[in-house]
Amino acid sequence: MKFNKHLESIKTYEAGKPIELVVREFGIEPKDIVKLASNENPLGCSQKVQDAVSAIVKNMALYPDDSMIKLKAGLSKRFDVEQKNIIIGSGSDQVIEFIIHAKADENTKVLVNSVTFAMYEIYAKHVGAQIIKTASQEHNLDEFYDLYKKENPSIIFLCTPNNPTGDAIDAADMMSFLEKIDEDTLVVVDGAYMEYAKYADDKKAVEPKELIEKFKNVIYLGTFSKAYGLGGMRTGYGIADELIINELYKLRPPFNITTLSLEAASVALEDEEFVNKSIALNFEQMKRYKEFANEQKLDIIESYTNFVTLCLNQNQNSTKLADDLLRRGMIVRDLAGYGMNAIRVTVGTSEQNDKFFELAKQYL
Amino acid sequence: MKFNKHLESIKTYEAGKPIELVVREFGIEPKDIVKLASNENPLGCSQKVQDAVSAIVKNMALYPDDSMIKLKAGLSKRFDVEQKNIIIGSGSDQVIEFIIHAKADENTKVLVNSVTFAMYEIYAKHVGAQIIKTASQEHNLDEFYDLYKKENPSIIFLCTPNNPTGDAIDAADMMSFLEKIDEDTLVVVDGAYMEYAKYADDKKAVEPKELIEKFKNVIYLGTFSKAYGLGGMRTGYGIADELIINELYKLRPPFNITTLSLEAASVALEDEEFVNKSIALNFEQMKRYKEFANEQKLDIIESYTNFVTLCLNQNQNSTKLADDLLRRGMIVRDLAGYGMNAIRVTVGTSEQNDKFFELAKQYL
């Protein structure tokens, strides 16, 4: 059977190894496995959210409220924007998918950072769009501007803080950059880790309200998967001018969020205490990674997120290190696939980080 | 800002009114509202599923197992097919989306029944494909064959039992039809309500195993939203030859099912008792709808599903009836949008059906 030609160039995405597989493959007890590979919140999720979801498990039989009124009201209040400026996706991933399908095709180009979130490129390939990448590892807005002028992309993705490197763009620099972009180019500001950046440094804080008031061609993305501790519930959002939201809404499948996810995210927004505690723990524990990198004479990228990127020395090999750690039940992300001799480690609880330091020392 | 041209012809999908909206709009207490509009399981979902999900609410923080090994193993056992023949979607809707994006584009045609599940056409429009429809309300396979020969569609959708009419194709007739279709045309057999049809009449029972062993160009779709009582958890599946599954997998976003949905669906497969009880209740109560139609001199389409389609007489108006019922807190589906002067009513519990009969009598 013949399929659409774009599929020929797409490889099936392989996600990181789930804990279950490590258990079977290496005979390690689940309790001895530490997963610091997916930037999940090491504190789990808010007890209030757990209670609220437990209280409505019966409702699993009922289709979700497709107007998503409760969650939209919560986000509207949280960001001081109107509900018509919001679209909810099954993870912010799905909003990225809507954006690509609304604005890209085999005749257009998509501009991304050299090292950044893999899904931009994956979705762009789904429609056969051409990917243009900058050269620098960190976002360099001058490079972005030069490529924008030269290549005329239909979409530009800025990921701040960036995954998988952890660096962030100064908000003021970004605003200056956006002023130079024509209004028919859609700029995506992916703030999946913005809650962390905001806590770490005011200068990195991007406010969706300010963004969409100034620019009709910018969409801000956020997620409940990181600081809000709901990685398993697949809920993210986009905030933009109403005209953009209306177009993306045309591509949204009905009922794209589960009934329990809607409740979980709505209640998560109300428990700021949990989020603040999570972020405070994160940066307290991150100091230990900086000390560790210093001791081990490794470069560490200044991180505004809940993970650190440890750059190895020439005589070390990130793939081997990640594999050695995996065999001991410590799951981290090898960045060799991004062209970096580095590993990305989620900042865990104090105990999880202890274990990482202890094991990593043995293999470095 | 300009968007892709296909978006111009897409209207934003408007789902049925959620209970919350009826509460606010008509000032009716939630306890007095009966929703028989979305073919949800009136018994809710299995207690075992509720217990299993409650036990893992902590895991909402963790990304789902993207290999979906537990659910695939359950489906593999249930249908006696291999795991490589299975793809899981966020509802079977999402598998439909993968199919359209894999096999249709602005140069191809998609053949569907005149009255059928709306998402086939909606997704086809997303890629600009042309929709070809049969003339008859029920699936007429001769008409399908004539249009297949004439129009050369890349995809044919057969929905059996059909939504929103409830009729089903004889399995033997379908097998004969499939033998006449060339191997480059993908035929989708959507069995969202197949558990009901199988119970009601052996002749309507389509077995995915038999289907995919005989045909390399056929995909069977199933869902946990109906008989399994998990409409809110967005979990469905496709079963097909490995070559088809591999292509669809390329378009699957990672983590497309929530952590709690995977658990819910896996456990639901193990509680056949709940499913059997639900289906037995359904057909027991459906008899009452037949009696009601008889009393009211209305045509009722023989239904192999968990809903009935009541066809009104010329002096009656389905839109008005649905609206009258809505104002009394009874939500049903008006089929005027499908070109039918009819309403679709989910078969509810005995009490819910009592209320429907009582109210409908007043307005018919």
Side-chain angles (χ1 to χ4, degrees):
Chain A
M1 176 171 288
K2 274 174 284 178
F3 291 92
N4 289 345
K5 63 181 190 302
H6 306 140
L7 270 65
E8 287 165 19
S9 65
I10 304 177
K11 281 189 196 147
T12 300
Y13 177 89
E14 297 250 4
K17 297 205 178 212
I19 289 177
E20 294 81 357
L21 226 70
V22 179
V23 171
R24 279 181 301 156
E25 210 161 311
F26 303 111
I28 303 167
E29 293 283 312
K31 68 170 177 50
D32 294 329
I33 295 173
V34 175
K35 187 177 166 211
L36 297 176
S38 300
N39 306 337
E40 293 152 334
N41 190 324
L43 294 184
C45 61
S46 149
Q47 186 61 48
K48 285 180 187 161
V49 172
Q50 294 180 44
D51 294 346
V53 168
S54 295
I56 62 154
V57 286
K58 259 193 205 170
N59 295 354
M60 287 192 286
L62 305 177
Y63 281 94
D65 165 18
D66 204 44
S67 73
M68 305 193 196
I69 199 159
K70 187 173 170 185
L71 180 53
K72 279 197 180 174
L75 285 166
S76 163
K77 192 175 153 200
R78 165 81 179 72
F79 290 111
D80 192 19
V81 296
E82 291 190 61
Q83 292 191 32
K84 66 184 181 189
N85 298 120
I86 300 171
I87 186 166
I88 315 278
S90 176
S92 47
D93 294 35
Q94 196 183 31
V95 186
I96 296 167
E97 191 179 10
F98 300 154
I99 290 166
I100 297 275
H101 282 276
K103 192 68 188 157
D105 60 25
E106 63 271 26
N107 302 314
T108 65
K109 295 173 183 176
V110 173
L111 175 57
V112 305
N113 200 50
S114 108
V115 174
T116 195
F117 187 45
M119 294 311 299
Y120 309 146
E121 184 165 355
I122 291 173
Y123 286 124
K125 280 188 174 168
H126 285 191
V127 300
Q130 189 186 339
I131 284 279
I132 309 290
K133 291 186 181 185
T134 59
S136 302
Q137 184 182 285
E138 296 196 4
H139 281 67
N140 177 325
L141 294 175
D142 292 336
E143 271 182 55
F144 266 92
Y145 186 69
D146 290 345
L147 285 167
Y148 156 73
K149 290 303 277 182
K150 188 177 155 205
E151 305 279 0
N152 189 24
S154 63
I155 309 174
I156 300 173
F157 282 96
L158 302 176
C159 186
T160 181
N162 191 29
N163 178 11
T165 52
D167 58 289
I169 306 169
D170 277 2
D173 293 346
M174 200 175 64
M175 295 309 253
S176 309
F177 172 79
L178 292 174
E179 276 166 18
K180 296 187 292 182
I181 305 300
D182 73 290
E183 64 179 14
D184 196 37
T185 302
L186 181 55
V187 184
V188 183
V189 177
D190 186 344
Y193 296 90
M194 188 56 77
E195 290 86 358
Y196 296 96
K198 207 170 167 177
Y199 178 99
D201 186 349
D202 269 358
K203 288 202 302 292
K204 307 293 184 185
V206 174
E207 289 298 337
K209 183 186 170 68
E210 193 188 344
L211 215 52
I212 71 169
E213 275 176 2
K214 284 202 179 153
F215 305 106
K216 300 293 171 206
N217 63 327
V218 175
I219 181 164
Y220 176 88
L221 304 183
T223 182
F224 288 91
S225 299
K226 307 299 172 190
Y228 288 95
L230 292 173
M233 297 308 279
R234 316 307 298 128
T235 311
Y237 50 89
I239 299 176
D241 186 78
E242 189 182 0
L243 291 178
I244 295 176
I245 297 297
N246 288 350
E247 294 297 316
L248 300 185
Y249 241 91
K250 291 180 178 178
L251 297 174
R252 185 191 69 93
F255 311 121
N256 59 326
I257 307 291
T258 78
T259 299
L260 300 190
S261 302
L262 284 176
E263 179 71 5
S266 302
V267 176
L269 277 177
E270 292 164 9
D271 192 355
E272 282 294 320
E273 197 186 324
F274 172 80
V275 174
N276 292 336
K277 194 174 87 176
S278 301
I279 298 176
L281 171 80
N282 178 68
F283 286 108
E284 187 190 300
Q285 289 292 318
M286 195 182 284
K287 288 181 202 156
R288 300 180 64 205
Y289 279 87
K290 290 183 189 171
E291 288 162 16
F292 175 80
N294 200 29
E295 277 165 31
Q296 299 290 324
K297 303 201 182 346
L298 300 176
D299 274 343
I300 184 169
I301 300 172
E302 182 74 22
S303 172
Y304 296 90
T305 65
N306 69 343
F307 59 82
V308 292
T309 303
L310 294 169
C311 303
L312 304 191
N313 298 313
Q314 280 187 335
N315 60 336
Q316 297 164 326
N317 179 302
S318 64
T319 305
K320 184 174 182 315
L321 175 61
D323 194 57
D324 286 336
L325 292 172
L326 184 66
R327 287 163 191 279
R328 299 289 299 273
M330 169 62 62
I331 318 179
V332 301
R333 185 68 65 103
D334 172 26
L335 298 185
Y338 291 87
M340 295 172 72
N341 184 26
I343 59 168
R344 191 191 72 182
V345 186
T346 306
V347 176
T349 60
S350 179
E351 297 71 25
Q352 290 174 326
N353 300 331
D354 284 346
K355 184 160 177 186
F356 172 79
F357 299 137
E358 183 202 318
L359 286 172
K361 270 177 200 165
Q362 295 175 33
Y363 294 106
L364 274 167
Chain B
M1 177 171 290
K2 274 175 285 180
F3 292 92
N4 289 344
K5 63 181 191 304
H6 306 137
L7 272 65
E8 287 164 21
S9 64
I10 304 176
K11 281 188 196 149
T12 299
Y13 177 89
E14 298 248 4
K17 296 204 178 210
I19 288 178
E20 294 81 358
L21 225 70
V22 179
V23 171
R24 278 180 303 157
E25 208 158 313
F26 303 112
I28 303 168
E29 293 284 310
K31 68 170 176 50
D32 294 328
I33 295 174
V34 175
K35 187 178 167 211
L36 297 177
S38 301
N39 306 338
E40 294 151 335
N41 190 324
L43 295 184
C45 59
S46 150
Q47 186 61 49
K48 284 179 187 161
V49 172
Q50 294 180 44
D51 294 345
V53 168
S54 295
I56 62 155
V57 285
K58 259 193 202 171
N59 294 354
M60 288 192 286
L62 305 177
Y63 281 94
D65 166 18
D66 204 43
S67 72
M68 307 194 194
I69 198 158
K70 188 175 171 183
L71 180 54
K72 280 196 178 176
L75 285 166
S76 162
K77 193 176 152 198
R78 166 80 178 72
F79 290 111
D80 192 19
V81 296
E82 291 190 61
Q83 292 193 31
K84 66 184 180 190
N85 297 120
I86 301 170
I87 186 166
I88 316 278
S90 177
S92 47
D93 294 34
Q94 196 184 29
V95 186
I96 297 167
E97 189 179 12
F98 300 155
I99 290 165
I100 296 275
H101 282 275
K103 192 71 187 156
D105 60 25
E106 63 271 25
N107 302 313
T108 67
K109 296 173 182 176
V110 173
L111 174 58
V112 304
N113 200 51
S114 113
V115 174
T116 196
F117 187 44
M119 294 311 298
Y120 310 145
E121 184 166 355
I122 291 174
Y123 286 124
K125 281 188 175 167
H126 284 193
V127 299
Q130 188 186 339
I131 285 278
I132 309 291
K133 290 185 182 184
T134 59
S136 302
Q137 185 181 282
E138 297 196 4
H139 282 67
N140 177 325
L141 293 174
D142 292 336
E143 271 184 53
F144 266 92
Y145 186 69
D146 289 347
L147 286 167
Y148 156 73
K149 291 302 279 182
K150 189 179 156 204
E151 303 281 2
N152 188 27
S154 63
I155 309 174
I156 300 174
F157 282 96
L158 301 176
C159 187
T160 180
N162 191 28
N163 178 10
T165 52
D167 58 289
I169 306 170
D170 276 2
D173 294 345
M174 200 175 66
M175 294 310 253
S176 308
F177 172 78
L178 293 173
E179 275 165 17
K180 296 187 292 181
I181 305 300
D182 74 289
E183 64 180 12
D184 196 38
T185 303
L186 181 56
V187 185
V188 183
V189 177
D190 187 344
Y193 297 89
M194 188 56 74
E195 290 84 0
Y196 297 95
K198 206 170 167 177
Y199 178 99
D201 186 348
D202 269 357
K203 288 202 301 291
K204 307 295 184 184
V206 174
E207 288 299 337
K209 183 187 171 66
E210 194 190 345
L211 215 53
I212 71 169
E213 276 175 0
K214 284 201 181 151
F215 305 106
K216 300 294 171 207
N217 62 326
V218 175
I219 182 164
Y220 176 89
L221 304 184
T223 182
F224 288 91
S225 297
K226 307 300 171 187
Y228 288 95
L230 292 173
M233 298 307 278
R234 317 305 301 124
T235 310
Y237 50 88
I239 299 177
D241 186 80
E242 189 182 359
L243 291 177
I244 295 176
I245 297 297
N246 289 350
E247 294 297 315
L248 301 184
Y249 241 92
K250 291 180 178 178
L251 297 174
R252 187 191 66 95
F255 310 122
N256 59 325
I257 306 291
T258 79
T259 299
L260 299 190
S261 303
L262 284 177
E263 180 71 4
S266 302
V267 176
L269 276 177
E270 293 164 10
D271 193 355
E272 282 295 319
E273 198 186 324
F274 172 80
V275 174
N276 293 336
K277 195 174 87 178
S278 301
I279 298 175
L281 171 79
N282 178 67
F283 286 107
E284 189 189 299
Q285 289 293 316
M286 196 183 284
K287 289 183 201 152
R288 301 180 63 204
Y289 279 86
K290 290 183 191 173
E291 289 161 17
F292 175 80
N294 201 30
E295 278 166 31
Q296 299 291 322
K297 304 202 184 339
L298 299 175
D299 273 344
I300 183 168
I301 301 174
E302 182 72 21
S303 172
Y304 297 89
T305 66
N306 68 343
F307 59 83
V308 292
T309 303
L310 296 169
C311 303
L312 304 192
N313 298 314
Q314 280 187 337
N315 61 336
Q316 298 163 327
N317 180 302
S318 65
T319 305
K320 183 172 183 313
L321 175 62
D323 193 58
D324 285 337
L325 292 172
L326 185 67
R327 289 164 191 279
R328 299 288 299 272
M330 170 62 62
I331 319 179
V332 301
R333 185 69 65 102
D334 172 26
L335 298 185
Y338 291 87
M340 296 171 71
N341 185 25
I343 58 168
R344 191 191 70 183
V345 187
T346 307
V347 176
T349 59
S350 178
E351 297 72 26
Q352 291 174 325
N353 301 330
D354 285 345
K355 184 159 180 189
F356 172 79
F357 300 136
E358 184 202 318
L359 286 172
K361 270 178 203 165
Q362 297 175 31
Y363 295 107
L364 273 167

